[in-house]
């Protein structure tokens, strides 16, 4: 118990350790931002900023372009050391080792850790300067691209353009290793849902006298789900080839929005026996729908923010937690109504 108390005190007085533990937690979240990313950092003093996580195969590359790099401080006596700022790559497993290393190395700077793969430091940069760098990955694995700032009294501003890709027969593939088959997988799901939709339409036509409104809504849900899958397939295909989704992400979000609302609505309506057992909803059931539908709208907004901004955004983790919380609330509202 004393060890835990002492550890909490140490963690409270060391912002860098807090960031390391935060990155260690984020590394357990299964996300992969694979497309080309453009991020604007404004007056940010965080010790570490996570930009992307990517699975590299042999022959993978990381390209970074910096523009309008600047830094400032509110402390007049603070001395700027460019070697204490820079970008590095780290394996997910390395964050725990970096945390352990920070306990025994004082003063500690993550850029000097033996568990990181350094990309560049700010040694050659001046105010409003630019930088272009390319690094090849010799050891295939899943890496996180992180900006390290070991001078917390300085706030950094910059435009960051990142590209992470693997080379397949000399052609860039912007999908992480292990996700290259996702376009085909999503297309297969599209065919399956389309087949289910066709079968459902056939059954409804054959059993027309017994078809109720709920059956039509269920058919619409299958259609929306199929359209979402084809959009996901096209999204991943274009991301893999060009690094950008070419607008398919917008269609994916739209159909995902309708799918989420319709799914919970169908579950509630079937659970209450609406349409085929009783033609009305009780007040309690109406209240559940009035809670779930607005929450689904908010959840989809959170999902779009999470997908489009990335972990480099200051509030990204808050949106992620809100997304998970809303999902749990919706499930509880439906199952414990």
């Amino acid at each position: 118990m004393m060890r835990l108390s002492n550890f909490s005190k140490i963690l409270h007085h060391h912002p860098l350790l807090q960031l390391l533990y935060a990155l260690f937690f984020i590394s357990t979240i299964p996300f992969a931002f694979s497309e080309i990313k453009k991020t604007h950092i404004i007056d940010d003093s965080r010790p570490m900023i996570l930009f992307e996580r990517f699975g590299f195969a042999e022959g993978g590359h990381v390209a970074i372009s910096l523009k309008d790099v600047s830094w400032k401080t509110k402390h007049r006596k603070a001395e700027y050391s460019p070697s204490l700022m820079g970008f590095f790559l780290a394996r997910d497993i390395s964050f725990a080792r970096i945390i352990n290393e920070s306990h025994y190395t004082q003063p500690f700077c993550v850029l000097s850790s033996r568990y990181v793969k350094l990309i560049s430091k700010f040694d050659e940069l001046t105010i409003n300067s630019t930088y272009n760098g390319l690094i090849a990955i010799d050891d295939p694995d899943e890496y996180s691209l992180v900006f390290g700032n070991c001078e917390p009294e300085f706030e950094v501003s910059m435009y960051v353009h990142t590209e992470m890709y693997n080379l397949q027969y000399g052609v860039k593939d912007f999908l992480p290793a292990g996700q290259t088959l996702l376009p085909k997988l999503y297309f297969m799901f599209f065919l399956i849902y389309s087949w289910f939709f066709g079968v459902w339409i056939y059954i409804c036509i054959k059993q027309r006298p017994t078809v109720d409104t709920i059956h039509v809504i269920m058919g619409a849900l299958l259609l929306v789900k199929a359209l979402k899958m084809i959009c996901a397939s096209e999204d991943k295909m274009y991301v893999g080839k060009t690094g950008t989704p070419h607008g398919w992400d917008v269609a994916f979000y739209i159909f995902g929005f309708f799918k989420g609302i319709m799914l919970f609505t169908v579950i509630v309506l079937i659970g209450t026996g609406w349409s085929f057992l009783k033609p009305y909803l009780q007040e309690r059931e109406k209240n559940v729908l009035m809670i779930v539908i607005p929450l689904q709208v908010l959840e989809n907004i959170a999902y779009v923010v999470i997908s489009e901004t990335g972990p480099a955004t200051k509030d990204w983790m808050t949106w992620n937690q809100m997304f998970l919380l809303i999902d749990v609330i919706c499930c509880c509202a439906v199952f414990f109504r």
Side-chain angles (χ1 to χ4, degrees):
M1 193 69 180
M2 287 293 293
R3 287 183 178 180
L4 184 61
S5 177
N6 293 334
F7 177 74
S8 300
K9 292 179 180 178
I10 294 173
L11 195 63
H12 178 73
H13 291 93
H14 290 78
L16 180 59
L17 287 181
Q18 296 175 11
L19 261 295
L20 282 169
Y21 275 100
L23 287 176
F24 179 69
F25 171 74
I26 292 174
S27 67
T28 63
I29 301 175
F31 69 90
F33 297 95
S34 51
E35 65 265 27
I36 297 171
K37 285 288 184 180
K38 296 179 181 179
T39 309
H40 188 194
I41 303 297
I42 304 175
D43 298 336
D44 203 323
S45 61
R46 285 179 289 174
M48 285 191 288
I49 302 175
L50 174 63
F51 280 85
E52 296 186 61
R53 208 166 92 210
F54 193 85
F56 289 98
E58 189 173 355
H61 288 77
V62 180
I64 299 179
S65 298
L66 305 179
K67 186 176 69 172
D68 298 335
V69 181
S70 63
W71 50 85
K72 64 180 181 180
T73 180
K74 297 178 181 178
H75 305 279
R76 294 183 178 180
K77 296 183 179 180
E79 295 184 3
Y80 172 68
S81 178
S83 62
L84 297 180
M85 291 185 185
F87 286 86
F88 65 89
L89 291 172
R91 291 184 172 94
D92 291 343
I93 195 174
S94 298
F95 287 114
R97 296 173 179 174
I98 295 172
I99 293 171
N100 185 62
E101 183 183 20
S102 65
H103 289 306
Y104 302 100
T105 306
Q106 295 297 332
F108 176 75
C109 180
V110 67
L111 296 174
S112 59
S113 173
R114 58 177 177 159
Y115 299 111
V116 304
K117 185 178 181 67
L118 188 64
I119 297 177
S120 67
K121 292 184 179 181
F122 280 15
D123 298 77
E124 301 178 359
L125 295 179
T126 57
I127 295 292
N128 296 324
S129 61
T130 60
Y131 168 83
N132 294 288
L134 179 67
I135 184 173
I137 305 299
D138 301 323
D139 190 8
D141 204 340
E142 188 171 52
Y143 290 86
S144 295
L145 174 63
V146 185
F147 171 75
N149 178 10
C150 296
E151 295 185 296
E153 62 272 15
F154 282 88
E155 297 177 346
V156 181
S157 299
M158 56 184 168
Y159 285 95
V160 184
H161 177 94
T162 58
E163 294 185 18
M164 291 185 171
Y165 56 87
N166 295 309
L167 290 177
Q168 299 289 340
Y169 305 104
V171 179
K172 292 181 180 180
D173 186 352
F174 291 93
L175 287 178
Q179 294 189 18
T180 54
L181 295 178
L182 279 181
K184 295 180 180 179
L185 181 64
Y186 286 143
F187 185 74
M188 184 182 69
F189 281 128
F190 162 72
L191 295 177
I192 293 173
Y193 279 110
S194 298
W195 182 81
F196 280 137
F197 176 70
V199 171
W200 187 256
I201 293 296
Y202 174 77
I203 293 174
C204 288
I205 293 174
K206 293 284 288 184
Q207 305 292 332
R208 185 176 299 177
T210 59
V211 172
D212 289 305
T213 307
I214 187 65
H215 299 116
V216 177
I217 298 176
M218 292 169 67
L221 176 60
L222 283 173
L223 176 61
V224 170
K225 183 65 176 178
L227 293 174
K228 180 186 176 183
M229 287 294 100
I230 190 63
C231 291
S233 176
E234 293 295 319
D235 181 297
K236 290 297 181 182
M237 184 187 70
Y238 276 103
V239 166
K241 291 181 178 180
T242 66
T244 56
H246 289 266
W248 283 101
D249 54 339
V250 178
F252 175 79
Y253 296 142
I254 292 173
F255 289 120
F257 167 74
F258 286 111
K259 188 273 297 181
I261 291 178
M262 292 179 67
L263 176 62
F264 279 98
T265 302
V266 166
I267 292 174
V268 171
L269 294 179
I270 291 177
T272 59
W274 177 80
S275 185
F276 55 91
L277 289 181
K278 57 183 181 181
Y280 60 89
L281 291 175
Q282 296 179 354
E283 192 65 29
R284 185 179 181 182
E285 295 153 357
K286 291 180 181 179
N287 291 335
V288 171
L289 288 176
M290 290 178 64
I291 293 172
V292 169
I293 292 177
L295 284 177
Q296 280 297 302
V297 174
L298 188 59
E299 181 184 17
N300 279 274
I301 293 174
Y303 180 76
V304 172
V305 172
I306 292 169
S307 301
E308 294 299 316
T309 56
T313 307
K314 289 183 178 180
D315 298 327
W316 184 83
M317 197 63 191
T318 303
W319 282 101
N320 211 314
Q321 292 171 341
M322 186 174 70
F323 173 79
L324 296 174
L325 178 62
I326 293 173
D327 209 28
V328 172
I329 292 174
C330 288
C331 292
C332 292
V334 170
F335 292 114
F336 300 104
R337 65 184 186 278

